[in-house]
Amino acid sequence: MAKQLDYMTMKEVFARFEAAEPHPKGELDHTNAYTLLVAVALSAQATDVGVNKATKDLFPIADTPEKMLALGEAGLIEHIKTIGLFRQKAKNVIKMSQILVERYEGVVPSSRAALTALPGVGRKTANVVLNMWFGHPAQAVDTHIFRIGNRTGICPGKDVDAVERAIEDNVPVEYQRHAHHWLILHGRYTCVARKPKCGACVIRDLCPFEDKTV
């Protein structure tokens, strides 16, 4: 685990991320808060590409909790059966949709507590929705962020909760809104797990990782 970078280095790291990608976005296709919530819930242990393929035909016919309930669990399974754990995910989405209709009049709540109380919605999923749809500076830590946070010293921590706190505590406030997107993209395409592309890295000179690749 690398030591936490100092404030001025952190400021330069995120200034470079912003210069390279001023308006970072998530890669899950969605049309509203509900489809975003469903897409993120489906993405657990699955790729964004795989989820997008499954939801391409799903969301045009089930983009609200009411329409999803009308489709039903069996109908939903037909659309998402290429995704890992599809049966359990289908059960969760249907239960989630039922709760949204019964308790929230079909509207996705903007509270982390309310979101994480929904079936199949953990803290990471809730944070993605809060950040991407509601504009909150919530930090969704995935395997990419956990890896590069500890490798680079941007947000080191022994578990995902510690890494989330490290982002909140150490990333300059002006970069909090998009911090997790920049980190995910950096981990997904540059600071990859096995052979990081250090030669193409915009923060190579600021990173303390000892085993840099050529």
Side-chain angles (χ1 to χ4, degrees):
M1 182 188 299
K3 182 181 178 181
Q4 174 69 55
L5 298 180
D6 63 70
Y7 178 78
M8 293 308 296
T9 303
M10 290 283 284
K11 197 174 181 69
E12 178 62 21
V13 163
F14 282 92
R16 293 186 189 182
F17 284 159
E18 182 180 48
E21 186 64 64
H23 305 289
K25 296 180 180 179
E27 297 182 318
L28 286 170
D29 295 336
H30 61 282
T31 58
N32 55 30
Y34 175 71
T35 54
L36 174 60
L37 176 61
V38 171
V40 180
L42 292 177
S43 71
Q45 299 183 46
T47 66
D48 288 358
V49 172
V51 172
N52 288 340
K53 287 181 179 179
T55 59
K56 181 180 179 181
D57 295 324
L58 171 65
F59 288 159
I61 62 173
D63 61 352
T64 68
E66 294 84 356
K67 291 178 182 177
M68 190 67 76
L69 291 174
L71 180 64
E73 186 175 323
L76 174 56
I77 284 175
E78 284 302 306
H79 285 278
I80 68 170
K81 60 187 178 182
T82 56
I83 300 174
L85 307 175
F86 66 91
R87 294 188 187 281
Q88 185 57 52
K89 289 177 180 179
K91 290 181 184 295
N92 287 338
V93 169
I94 294 300
K95 290 179 181 177
M96 169 206 305
S97 301
Q98 188 69 46
I99 293 172
L100 289 175
V101 170
E102 293 177 351
R103 299 182 187 176
Y104 302 101
E105 298 183 342
V107 177
V108 175
S110 59
S111 154
R112 181 185 287 117
L115 286 169
T116 54
L118 297 171
V121 179
R123 185 178 180 89
K124 181 187 128 186
T125 296
N127 282 352
V128 171
V129 175
L130 290 173
N131 181 282
M132 289 181 61
W133 192 261
F134 296 105
H136 296 183
Q139 309 301 334
V141 178
D142 68 352
T143 55
H144 295 299
I145 294 180
F146 184 79
R147 178 182 68 254
I148 71 170
N150 284 290
R151 177 186 281 173
T152 66
I154 293 174
C155 45
K158 63 181 181 180
D159 53 40
V160 294
D161 291 338
V163 170
E164 182 181 332
R165 288 194 297 273
I167 297 173
E168 293 174 343
D169 292 345
N170 298 289
V171 173
V173 65
E174 63 266 35
Y175 299 115
Q176 287 276 337
R177 173 68 173 81
H178 296 304
H180 95 273
H181 276 131
W182 282 316
L183 292 171
I184 288 173
L185 293 172
H186 189 62
R188 185 172 289 171
Y189 298 110
T190 303
C191 197
V192 295
R194 295 186 179 180
K195 293 182 179 179
K197 301 172 184 177
C198 299
C201 178
V202 296
I203 62 166
R204 177 186 172 91
D205 58 313
L206 304 174
C207 174
F209 183 50
E210 295 180 355
D211 299 321
K212 289 189 176 73
T213 58
V214 176

